[in-house]
C-alpha cells in the first residue's frame, strides 16, 4: 500500500496509508483528540475530517479550542437551520447560509414571512436533528446531476449558485445531513462531523432580505441566529444582546430627555436642553484638550460654490453625498467636510517653515446626504459636527506630530474609560507620489506608534491612495468595537490647492496635511457614550449633576438657596419642587441617572447642611454644602468616581 508522510504542528511526522483522512490521523494520535476533532487544516486549507489525504501534507486537527472552530460551528448550524426549515416548510427554497461576526443566517424563499412561533418550532426541530447526531456527509456529484437535482426540487437559486460558482468543474460538492431526504445542500464546506456537536445555538429573528442583497431581486426571508462552542459563551452573548437593547441610545435618549428626531428633518437630531448640555460639555472638553496642544479654533462657511468641490475632487467623487443648493444661478453645496475650507484659510497668507505645524480645529456642522434607508439614531445621521482638525506640517515633522496625536487619543479615550486598538494602513497598489516619500512617512508613523507605546496591527496596502493612515477602534463596556479616531496623511490636497511654505532655504515647499479626528462625529460618539455608560454618565458629563430634593414645601426656600450655591460653583443643579413624597423623588432622580441627590428637610435647613445620596453608593450622610461642592469639583476634575464614593474622602 502507498504511504504518505503527514507533518503535525509539533514538527513530528507520521506515515499513513494514502487515502487516510485527518480523522484517521487524529485517532492515531489519541482517542481524546479523535473525539474532540471538528475539522482539519491541511496545507493551510480548512477541510472536513473526512478529507482524503493523497500526498505528503501538513495536518493540524481543529478542535473546539482552535480559532477556526467558531465559524465552523456557526456555518454548520446554518445548515441545521436550513434542514429544519425545509422539513417544516415543504417547498421552501434555500439561498445562502454563511457564518457572520455575530452568528449566522440563512435566506429562504417562503410563501409568507416567518412569525416568532415559526422560529420556536424551527429551533425545536434543529435541537431534534442535533440530538440525532446526524453526520454531515460530503458527496461529490457530477455537476450536471447537481443542477438537474436542484432544478427538479424547485430550487432555481441553488441552480444559479452552482452555475455561477463552479463553471468548468466536472464535479461539485454537496453535503447531506443523514440522507437526501433529510437535507442536501450545495456547499464547498467544511462542516463539523455531525449535528450532535452543535449544542449551543439560538435563533434570534427573521427579517426581510433579497437574493444577493439586491432589492431588484427575489424577496427572501432571513433567519438570523447565533451559535457558540459552549452553552456558557452562548448565554454570555445572549445576555449581552439583552443589555445592548436596554442601553440602546435611541431608547435612553428619549427616556433621559436628551434628543429627538422628526420625520421632517431626517437624519438630524433635535437636542433638548439636557442633550445640548451633554453635547456642549463634550465639545468644550475637546477644546480644553486641544488648545494646550497648540490647536487654534476656526469657523469656515457651511455653503460653498461648486468650484471649491471641483478643486478638491469632491465634485467628481463625492457629489452624490452632498446637499446641493441653487443660488443666483450658481450651484452651491453644504459642506460634507471641513478640509477644503481650511486649505483656503491656509493659502490666504504666506506661510513660513517657522509657522508649522499649523493646526486648525473646527466644530461647525457638516452635512452628508446619506440615503434615508441607512439613517439610524445618532450613529448614522445627515447633520453632525466633529472634533475635526487639519495639521499642516513639514515632512520632517510628521513623526513628532503623529506621536503628539496618539498621545492625545490615549488621553481622551482614557478619560472616557474606553480601551482602544490601533491599526496602521500603508501604501496601496494604486498610490500617489514617490515610493521613497511613502517609505519615509510610514517609517515615521511606525516610530511614532512605538514611542507612544501603542501596539498596532499592520494593514499592508490598505492606505488611501493619497497617504498612509492610523485608525483607532474603541471597545465599549459591552465589548463592542467602534471605529473613532483617524489620523490620515494627505499628499494630494496640498497639490490641488497649491499649498506652500517658505523653507529655511528661502525656497517654496509643499506642506503635508494630516486630517485627524479623535472622537469623530460628536453625534456618533454621544451614542457610543450613552450605550457605554448605559445613560449613567460620570459626574463631569452628566447633564444634571445634582438634584436638590426638598422633603416638604417648607424646605423649598432652603433647597433653592442650596441650588444657587451649587450653580455659583459651576455645578449643574436642579430642584425637584414637585409636591411628591421624598421616596418618589429619589426614585425619579435614580431613573434619570442623576449622580447626586441632596435631601433637604428640617434638620438640614436648621443646621445649614444637606444629606447626600449618590446614584451608585446610596446614602452618604449629612455634610456642609461647601464640603460637598469641594468633593464634587474634585470628582469632576478627576473625571471618574472616587474609589469608595464621596463618604470615604470626607
Ligand atoms: Zn456549508
Ligand atoms: Zn479633512
Amino acid at each position: 500500500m502507498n504511504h504518505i508522510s503527514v507533518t503535525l504542528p509539533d514538527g513530528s511526522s507520521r506515515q499513513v496509508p494514502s487515502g487516510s483522512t485527518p480523522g484517521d490521523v487524529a485517532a492515531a494520535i489519541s482517542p481524546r483528540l479523535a473525539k474532540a476533532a471538528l475539522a482539519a487544516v491541511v496545507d493551510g486549507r480548512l477541510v472536513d475530517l473526512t478529507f482524503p489525504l493523497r500526498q505528503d501534507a501538513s495536518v493540524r486537527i481543529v478542535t473546539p479550542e482552535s480559532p477556526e472552530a467558531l465559524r465552523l460551528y456557526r456555518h454548520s448550524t446554518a445548515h441545521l437551520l436550513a434542514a429544519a426549515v425545509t422539513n417544516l416548510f415543504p417547498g421552501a427554497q434555500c439561498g445562502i447560509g454563511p457564518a457572520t461576526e455575530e452568528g449566522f443566517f440563512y435566506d429562504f424563499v417562503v410563501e409568507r414571512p416567518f412569525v416568532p412561533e415559526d422560529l420556536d418550532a424551527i429551533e425545536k426541530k434543529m435541537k431534534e436533528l442535533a440530538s440525532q447526531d446526524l453526520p454531515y456527509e460530503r458527496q461529490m456529484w457530477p455537476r450536471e446531476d447537481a443542477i438537474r437535482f436542484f432544478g427538479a426540487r424547485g430550487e432555481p437559486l441553488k441552480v444559479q449558485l452552482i452555475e455561477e460558482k463552479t463553471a468548468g468543474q466536472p464535479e461539485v460538492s454537496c453535503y447531506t445531513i443523514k440522507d437526501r431526504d433529510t437535507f442536501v445542500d450545495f456547499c464547498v464546506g467544511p462542516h463539523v462531523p455531525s449535528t450532535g456537536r452543535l449544542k449551543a445555538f439560538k435563533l434570534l429573528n427573521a427579517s426581510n432580505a433579497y437574493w444577493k442583497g439586491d432589492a431588484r431581486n427575489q424577496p427572501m426571508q432571513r433567519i438570523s441566529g447565533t451559535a457558540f462552542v459552549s452553552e456558557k459563551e452562548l448565554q454570555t452573548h445572549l445576555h449581552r444582546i439583552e443589555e445592548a437593547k436596554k442601553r440602546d441610545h435611541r431608547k435612553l435618549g428619549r427616556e433621559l430627555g436628551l434628543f429627538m428626531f422628526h420625520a421632517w428633518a431626517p437624519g438630524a437630531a433635535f437636542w433638548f436642553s439636557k442633550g445640548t448640555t451633554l453635547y456642549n460639555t463634550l465639545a468644550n472638553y475637546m477644546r480644553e484638550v486641544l488648545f494646550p496642544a497648540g490647536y487654534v479654533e476656526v469657523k469656515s462657511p457651511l455653503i460653498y460654490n461648486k468650484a471649491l468641490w471641483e478643486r478638491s475632487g469632491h465634485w467628481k467623487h463625492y457629489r452624490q453625498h452632498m446637499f446641493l443648493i441653487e443660488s443666483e444661478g450658481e450651484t452651491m453645496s453644504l459642506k460634507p467636510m471641513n478640509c477644503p475650507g481650511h486649505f483656503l484659510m491656509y493659502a490666504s497668507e504666506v506661510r513660513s517653515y517657522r509657522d508649522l505645524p499649523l493646526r486648525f480645529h473646527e466644530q461647525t456642522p457638516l452635512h452628508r446626504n446619506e440615503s434615508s434607508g441607512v439613517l439610524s439614531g445618532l450613529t448614522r445621521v445627515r447633520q453632525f459636527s466633529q472634533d475635526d482638525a487639519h495639521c499642516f506640517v513639514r515632512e520632517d515633522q510628521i513623526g513628532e506630530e503623529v506621536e503628539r496625536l496618539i498621545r492625545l487619543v490615549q488621553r481622551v479615550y482614557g478619560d472616557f474609560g474606553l480601551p482602544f486598538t490601533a491599526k496602521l494602513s500603508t501604501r496601496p497598489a494604486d498610490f500617489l507620489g514617490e515610493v521613497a516619500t511613502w517609505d519615509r512617512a510610514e517609517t515615521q508613523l511606525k516610530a511614532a506608534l512605538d514611542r507612544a507605546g501603542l501596539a498596532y496591527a499592520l494593514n499592508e496596502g490598505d492606505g488611501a491612495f493619497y497617504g498612509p493612515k492610523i485608525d483607532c477602534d474603541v471597545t465599549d463596556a459591552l465589548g463592542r468595537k467602534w471605529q473613532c479616531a483617524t489620523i490620515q496623511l494627505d499628499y494630494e490636497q496640498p497639490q490641488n490647492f497649491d499649498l506652500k511654505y517658505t523653507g529655511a532655504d528661502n525656497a517654496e515647499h509643499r506642506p503635508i496635511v494630516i486630517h485627524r479626528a479623535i472622537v469623530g462625529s460628536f453625534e456618533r460618539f454621544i451614542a457610543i457614550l450613552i450605550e457605554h455608560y448605559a445613560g449613567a454618565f460620570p459626574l463631569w458629563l452628566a447633564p444634571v449633576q445634582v438634584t436638590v430634593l426638598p422633603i416638604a414645601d417648607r424646605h423649598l426656600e432652603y433647597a433653592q438657596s442650596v441650588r444657587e450655591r451649587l450653580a455659583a460653583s459651576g455645578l449643574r443643579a436642579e430642584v425637584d419642587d414637585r409636591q411628591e413624597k421624598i421616596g418618589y423623588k429619589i426614585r425619579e432622580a435614580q431613573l434619570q441617572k442623576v449622580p447626586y441627590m441632596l435631601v433637604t428637610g428640617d434638620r438640614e435647613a436648621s443646621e445649614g447642611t444637606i444629606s447626600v445620596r449618590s446614584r451608585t453608593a446610596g446614602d452618604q450622610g449629612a455634610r456642609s454644602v461647601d464640603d460637598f461642592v469641594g468633593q464634587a469639583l474634585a470628582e469632576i476634575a478627576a473625571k471618574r468616581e472616587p474609589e469608595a464614593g464621596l463618604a470615604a474622602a470626607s
Side-chain angles (χ1 to χ4, degrees):
M1 191 190 288
N2 255 341
H3 274 68
I4 56 165
S5 173
V6 166
T7 310
L8 300 171
D10 64 3
S12 69
S13 54
R14 281 170 188 258
Q15 301 294 312
V16 297
S18 173
S20 297
T21 66
D24 298 333
V25 173
I29 296 170
S30 82
R32 230 174 69 213
L33 184 61
K35 194 156 172 266
L38 296 168
V41 176
V42 174
D43 289 335
R45 190 171 134 229
L46 189 63
V47 298
D48 290 305
L49 278 182
T50 54
F51 178 85
L53 300 163
R54 305 228 179 265
Q55 57 198 23
D56 293 354
S58 74
V59 173
R60 173 164 63 84
I61 303 298
V62 171
T63 68
E65 283 74 42
S66 307
E68 297 87 354
L70 192 58
R71 289 190 81 81
L72 203 60
Y73 271 99
R74 288 175 172 176
H75 174 66
S76 302
T77 311
H79 277 276
L80 194 63
L81 163 62
V85 168
T86 49
N87 180 288
L88 294 173
F89 300 84
Q93 267 193 66
C94 298
I96 55 163
T100 62
E101 283 300 310
E102 295 277 292
F104 62 86
F105 67 80
Y106 213 116
D107 290 345
F108 304 96
V109 178
V110 276
E111 283 173 9
R112 59 163 178 83
F114 292 115
V115 295
E117 294 72 42
D118 294 335
L119 294 197
D120 292 344
I122 294 165
E123 194 176 289
K124 196 164 155 239
K125 189 75 193 173
M126 288 167 72
K127 295 234 159 86
E128 188 187 312
L129 293 172
S131 70
Q132 291 168 14
D133 197 18
L134 309 169
Y136 284 83
E137 189 182 283
R138 182 186 174 95
Q139 302 177 351
M140 294 309 291
W141 293 8
R143 186 166 178 271
E144 291 313 311
D145 282 8
I147 289 173
R148 219 174 299 123
F149 173 84
F150 286 105
R153 214 171 62 169
E155 297 230 35
L157 301 179
K158 282 285 163 192
V159 172
Q160 193 187 331
L161 275 184
I162 295 171
E163 284 176 340
E164 286 171 7
K165 302 220 169 198
T166 66
Q169 296 174 18
E171 288 190 323
V172 300
S173 63
C174 291
Y175 281 82
T176 66
I177 293 178
K178 189 178 170 196
D179 54 45
R180 287 192 186 195
D181 289 334
T182 307
F183 184 65
V184 59
D185 201 353
F186 159 66
C187 183
V188 293
H191 304 95
V192 299
S194 65
T195 60
R197 308 301 290 267
L198 308 172
K199 294 196 167 79
F201 55 83
K202 174 102 191 123
L203 297 185
L204 296 172
N205 58 56
S207 57
N208 294 321
Y210 296 95
W211 175 238
K212 294 186 172 173
D214 187 333
R216 290 167 301 189
N217 288 343
Q218 170 96 51
M220 302 186 82
Q221 280 282 302
R222 170 169 301 179
I223 297 182
S224 303
T226 194
F228 283 87
V229 173
S230 74
E231 181 66 22
K232 190 163 162 255
E233 287 166 283
L234 173 65
Q235 290 308 327
T236 306
H237 180 79
L238 295 178
H239 174 74
R240 198 185 284 183
I241 293 176
E242 278 310 304
E243 192 56 32
K245 272 190 207 155
K246 274 190 243 159
R247 290 171 180 236
D248 187 317
H249 74 276
R250 291 163 297 188
K251 176 174 165 281
L252 284 174
R254 211 167 34 242
E255 289 171 8
L256 301 176
L258 299 175
F259 58 85
M260 64 168 235
F261 285 92
H262 193 281
W264 289 348
F270 295 71
W271 294 94
F272 292 114
S273 161
K274 286 183 194 171
T276 303
T277 301
L278 176 62
Y279 201 112
N280 290 346
T281 302
L282 186 60
N284 288 333
Y285 162 73
M286 284 315 301
R287 291 186 170 105
E288 283 163 26
V289 168
L290 294 176
F291 289 164
Y295 287 74
V296 292
E297 185 169 10
V298 297
K299 282 181 187 289
S300 61
L302 304 193
I303 299 173
Y304 296 84
N305 192 291
K306 84 166 198 254
L308 177 84
W309 308 111
E310 284 170 345
R311 172 69 66 88
S312 68
H314 287 93
W315 195 251
K316 194 165 160 205
H317 299 294
Y318 203 73
R319 187 172 32 170
Q320 72 274 22
H321 299 297
M322 289 159 57
F323 284 102
L324 305 184
I325 298 167
E326 287 296 322
S327 172
E328 300 184 339
E330 297 276 346
T331 302
M332 315 283 283
S333 155
L334 279 164
K335 66 178 172 188
M337 44 196 82
N338 294 310
C339 341
H342 289 184
F343 303 151
L344 297 184
M345 292 169 93
Y346 177 92
S348 68
E349 279 181 41
V350 175
R351 308 288 180 182
S352 141
Y353 69 99
R354 296 165 59 161
D355 299 332
L356 305 185
L358 185 63
R359 309 177 182 93
F360 289 156
H361 168 57
E362 174 151 4
Q363 298 190 350
T364 57
L366 304 173
H367 288 83
R368 293 185 189 168
N369 199 356
E370 302 270 8
S371 73
S372 53
V374 303
L375 298 176
S376 167
L378 294 175
T379 51
R380 283 295 282 273
V381 286
R382 286 177 172 174
Q383 184 197 311
F384 58 97
S385 300
Q386 294 180 321
D387 64 322
D388 195 16
H390 294 95
C391 308
F392 300 85
V393 298
R394 306 191 305 256
E395 195 189 355
D396 63 291
Q397 293 174 322
I398 293 174
E400 197 195 326
E401 189 62 20
V402 169
E403 183 187 347
R404 290 167 64 107
L405 268 168
I406 295 166
R407 293 192 190 280
L408 284 181
V409 170
Q410 288 171 322
R411 169 176 167 198
V412 170
Y413 293 164
D415 281 342
F416 295 103
L418 290 164
F420 72 102
T421 54
K423 57 176 185 278
L424 170 64
S425 300
T426 58
R427 190 179 71 236
D430 186 12
F431 64 96
L432 185 92
E434 309 290 326
V435 172
T437 315
W438 276 82
D439 286 347
R440 283 197 301 273
E442 288 171 8
T443 307
Q444 289 200 57
L445 293 188
K446 285 177 189 167
L449 284 157
D450 291 340
R451 284 198 302 273
L454 184 58
Y456 62 93
L458 192 59
N459 271 11
E460 283 300 351
D462 213 30
F465 74 92
Y466 50 86
K469 65 170 175 174
I470 296 169
D471 291 310
C472 298
D473 287 340
V474 300
T475 303
D476 72 10
L478 293 186
R480 297 171 301 179
K481 284 188 185 300
W482 306 81
Q483 208 222 299
C484 288
T486 55
I487 299 172
Q488 167 81 61
L489 266 58
D490 189 343
Y491 289 90
E492 189 206 17
Q493 294 290 11
Q495 283 182 33
N496 293 345
F497 284 84
D498 195 24
L499 304 184
K500 291 179 257 200
Y501 69 89
T502 311
D505 56 1
N506 249 331
E508 281 186 344
H509 299 271
R510 224 22 98 247
I512 292 135
V513 166
I514 305 176
H515 307 254
R516 102 304 160 272
I518 298 176
V519 305
S521 143
F522 288 124
E523 277 75 0
R524 184 163 167 278
F525 197 70
I526 286 174
I528 295 169
L529 291 182
I530 291 172
E531 301 193 3
H532 174 60
Y533 293 122
F537 299 107
L539 191 63
W540 72 283
L541 280 172
V544 177
Q545 295 169 317
V546 186
T547 178
V548 187
L549 309 177
I551 291 176
D553 270 357
R554 64 179 182 281
H555 309 122
L556 198 52
E557 200 179 323
Y558 177 65
Q560 292 291 8
S561 76
V562 169
R563 193 205 71 85
E564 278 161 27
R565 285 168 68 189
L566 299 175
S569 310
L571 292 168
R572 299 187 285 267
E574 287 183 349
V575 173
D576 186 346
D577 57 7
R578 293 174 299 176
Q579 290 182 315
E580 298 285 355
K581 292 228 160 55
I582 188 69
Y584 176 86
K585 289 182 182 181
I586 289 174
R587 266 195 311 280
E588 282 279 290
Q590 285 283 155
L591 282 176
Q592 285 296 306
K593 305 180 194 282
V594 179
Y596 287 104
M597 292 147 259
L598 306 184
V599 178
T600 52
D602 287 333
R603 211 188 71 197
E604 289 83 5
S606 66
E607 292 174 0
T609 60
I610 45 175
S611 286
V612 180
R613 245 191 110 79
S614 133
R615 174 185 65 197
T616 49
D619 192 2
Q620 311 260 288
R623 71 194 57 201
S624 77
V625 178
D626 288 343
D627 197 10
F628 172 77
V629 167
Q631 286 159 11
L633 293 180
E635 184 178 335
I636 288 168
K639 298 199 163 54
R640 48 181 55 90
E641 270 181 56
E643 289 296 311
L646 272 176
S650 64

